[in-house]
Amino acid sequence: MFQVDVSARTLAPFVELVGGERVARVTGRAASIAKLLGGRVVWNVNSTAVGGGVAEMLRSLLRYARGLGIEVRWVVMEGEPDFFRITKRLHNALHDEAGDGSALGPDEAAAYDRVTRANMTELERLVRPGDVVICHDPQTAGLVPLLVAKGARVVWRCHIGHEDRGVHVDAGWGFLRPYLADVPVAAFSRGAYAPAWLPRKRFVVLPPNIDPFSVKNQLMPEEAVRDVLVRSELVSAPMSEVGPVFVREDGTPGRVERRARVVREGTPPLWHVPLVVQVSRWDRMKDHVGVLESFARLVRGDAADAPLDTHLVLAGPSVSGVADDPEGPSVHAEVKAAWRALPDAVRRRVHLVELPMDDADENAAMVNALQRHAAVIVQKSLREGFGLTVTEAMWKRRPVLASAVGGIQDQIRDGVDGLLVHDPTDRAETAALLARVLSDPELGVRLGDAAYERVRADYLSVASLERWADLLELLHDARSAASAQPA
Ligand code: UDP
């Protein structure tokens, strides 16, 4: 287990985006929460410091909480590969997928418990009774009863889920239930994700947020977007005088120096070529192969109005770069095989991109530039707890085309702030929607502007800080009520 540094950041820049009144309200609430906490620490425990939505969100939210005077810390669990294989199996199960189809029985529980106990030994030295501990996702569920027994105030935050019960969902919750049966408060991205056995009064709904000032989402002038993409070899164009620059998370100037590793034929697309872009981990539920095949239909002209010169970029982290995602290399290999099998005319318009992960800021700057440059952003997931990439693209005023699954159905109002693919397995529908948005720039602008406004109102860090304030008050009230009960 290791700690991740959390720096403090002020909410002041949000005044321009959401108004001084809202920022003052959040600041006032944080002051009363700090008083309720009385010097206690708010710990966050998850299982990776980089890559994926949870790490992304923690990084941004915690620094604002710290800037507001809340004593927050972030620790990352460590474990052997078998632990992450089991937790990936659980992750898939809660999305109602078989994953690798392996058992979730007593042997797996024993392996899971062993890693949980080893991490708890370290956590015990850090957490004091009365501290708040927010445990994220199935990897940390085993810690919940151990931390409760030590007198910590525990919240289990689950970022994944599926609205319907199915055999895999039941198997996943069956495995986790012994650890979570007595969790004081759980938080889900959608109400429908909570398991049936968890009483309604013990969970809350917390949609995720993005940080508009992070490297991933900060404003980037068009020259910098182009230069970042040229330097990382994602587009071909002359460099401008601005260079591949961005502002690092610590406020210092940054430059993109690394190249992406790209599977493609020929050279990068020219700057003016419209790009269809999906950014996601190499995970089967992101349906890269489905995106490839939908794009193939578009290029072959199956869809009316197919634009002539469009390229597809499927971008994800370097396959070895995400600690808690053991399926990355095999999924990447499958996508590569599907790419190879494409007809020539399609294949040369497709770029499979691995973004270097050595420097998290540089990786984020590349994602930012790609999202800003995209003609349309796709998120054709088969399952999605909540798609951070969708919100990131909406913030950049991009038209987004995403599957009507999971949290995406809350994020996008079809035809208003994005377009929904109603059946994510229907490649013809996806191709037709791609053709529609690519051939109607006015539609793209209308969707993009509405998307930006939606994110500004509901999905920025300030909105999450307000929701966390509600939750911490609830936790405090529940504890006060419990201690006021006669024995
Ligand atoms: N991401 C990234 N670098 C990459 C690929 C993805 O930073 O090379 C980020 C992406 O921008 C988003 C997160 O990883 O912030 C993925 O979150 P999402 O909710 O879309 O999916 P998850 O990975 O949590 O299933």
Side-chain angles (χ1 to χ4, degrees):
M1 182 164 271
F2 62 92
Q3 286 207 47
V4 182
D5 280 343
V6 179
S7 53
R9 239 191 213 190
T10 156
L11 281 188
F14 280 89
V15 170
E16 206 182 303
L17 296 179
V18 300
E21 214 175 290
R22 191 163 174 200
V23 169
R25 210 166 46 231
V26 176
T27 309
R29 292 196 68 191
S32 37
I33 294 220
K35 213 187 252 159
L36 289 182
L37 287 169
R40 298 292 179 208
V41 175
V42 178
W43 296 91
N44 280 267
V45 189
N46 83 322
S47 59
T48 182
V50 286
V54 178
E56 180 76 22
M57 236 164 3
L58 283 177
R59 179 157 296 110
S60 67
L61 205 57
L62 296 186
R63 58 192 175 193
Y64 292 120
R66 173 154 290 184
L68 286 164
I70 312 283
E71 187 57 39
V72 284
R73 307 262 173 81
W74 176 6
V75 288
V76 177
M77 283 182 83
E78 289 177 296
E80 57 214 49
D82 201 39
F83 174 79
F84 290 119
R85 186 191 58 75
I86 295 164
T87 59
K88 182 76 194 194
R89 171 80 176 88
L90 286 168
H91 175 100
N92 286 325
L94 295 191
H95 282 290
D96 203 27
E97 290 281 336
D100 66 6
S102 56
L104 284 172
D107 290 347
E108 288 70 27
Y112 180 85
D113 291 343
R114 213 166 32 246
V115 172
T116 300
R117 275 196 307 271
N119 280 276
M120 185 63 196
T121 308
E122 293 181 57
L123 204 51
E124 246 166 3
R125 290 194 211 111
L126 303 169
V127 175
R128 292 170 306 160
D131 281 357
V132 174
V133 188
I134 302 162
C135 295
H136 296 263
D137 281 337
Q139 294 90 333
T140 65
L143 294 168
V144 168
L146 307 178
L147 287 161
V148 170
K150 291 282 167 200
R153 294 183 262 179
V154 183
V155 178
W156 186 63
R157 169 70 168 112
C158 186
H159 297 266
I160 52 181
H162 191 60
E163 18 306 271
D164 304 316
R165 290 189 54 183
V167 40
H168 303 302
V169 175
D170 283 350
W173 286 124
F175 186 95
L176 292 169
R177 185 172 180 171
Y179 307 109
L180 296 172
D182 294 323
V183 63
V185 180
F188 296 90
S189 301
R190 303 191 88 195
Y193 294 166
W197 42 262
L198 194 67
R200 182 63 192 91
K201 62 179 188 311
R202 281 208 279 125
F203 72 82
V204 296
V205 176
L206 273 184
N209 66 90
I210 61 159
D211 180 355
F213 303 108
S214 64
V215 180
K216 175 81 52 74
N217 298 308
Q218 66 187 215
L219 275 175
M220 238 188 200
E222 190 171 294
E223 290 87 352
V225 168
R226 195 175 66 204
D227 291 349
V228 166
L229 296 178
V230 172
R231 176 54 56 86
S232 45
E233 298 190 355
L234 297 175
V235 301
S236 306
M239 279 269 212
S240 78
E241 279 170 15
V242 172
V245 293
F246 62 93
V247 182
R248 287 191 171 278
E249 294 296 349
D250 64 6
T252 61
R255 278 182 83 84
V256 166
E257 304 290 0
R258 292 178 175 80
R259 279 175 302 167
R261 184 203 291 253
V262 187
V263 174
R264 67 156 72 93
E265 263 170 25
T267 50
L270 295 171
W271 170 250
H272 69 264
V273 168
L275 297 185
V276 175
V277 175
Q278 176 165 300
V279 176
S280 38
R281 287 178 301 103
W282 303 99
D283 179 317
R284 278 181 199 93
M285 283 181 268
K286 309 293 182 182
D287 198 21
H288 297 91
V289 174
V291 181
L292 279 183
E293 289 175 4
S294 306
F295 182 76
R297 281 175 184 261
L298 176 82
V299 172
R300 283 200 318 251
D302 292 8
D305 304 328
L308 288 176
D309 190 18
T310 310
H311 282 223
L312 171 68
V313 173
L314 293 177
S318 122
V319 288
S320 52
V322 182
D324 66 348
D325 193 359
E327 288 176 8
S330 60
V331 174
H332 185 265
E334 282 167 26
V335 180
K336 205 160 132 182
W339 171 81
R340 233 181 251 121
L342 289 171
D344 289 354
V346 182
R347 194 172 54 248
R348 50 185 180 74
R349 292 165 184 240
V350 176
H351 310 259
L352 307 183
V353 174
E354 284 179 71
L355 299 171
M357 298 289 285
D358 320 65
D359 176 335
D361 286 353
E362 203 178 337
N363 176 278
M366 291 177 189
V367 172
N368 190 347
L370 252 183
Q371 288 172 332
R372 287 186 189 280
H373 182 51
V376 50
I377 292 276
V378 177
Q379 192 57 58
K380 215 187 83 57
S381 304
L382 302 172
R383 304 273 194 270
E384 196 65 75
F386 184 98
L388 265 189
T389 52
V390 169
T391 305
E392 290 161 5
M394 290 170 77
W395 180 244
K396 289 154 190 144
R397 297 183 191 264
R398 295 296 84 203
V400 180
L401 180 57
S403 310
V405 296
I408 294 175
Q409 298 164 94
D410 300 330
Q411 295 172 263
I412 289 182
R413 290 165 302 185
D414 192 21
V416 178
D417 32 35
L419 296 177
L420 291 176
V421 179
H422 293 95
D423 174 359
T425 60
D426 184 345
R427 277 119 204 216
E429 185 192 358
T430 309
L433 288 172
L434 274 175
R436 184 172 150 212
V437 74
L438 284 164
S439 60
D440 184 350
E442 270 174 36
L443 172 68
V445 170
R446 184 165 59 72
L447 295 175
D449 287 349
Y452 172 85
E453 285 305 330
R454 181 79 194 287
V455 176
R456 194 166 71 89
D458 290 339
Y459 295 121
L460 296 182
S461 323
V462 266
S464 266
L465 289 166
E466 286 164 343
R467 295 186 182 110
W468 273 108
D470 293 342
L471 179 52
L472 291 174
E473 276 167 12
L474 184 82
L475 205 60
H476 180 80
D477 293 348
R479 195 172 161 98
S480 311
S483 55
Q485 296 264 324

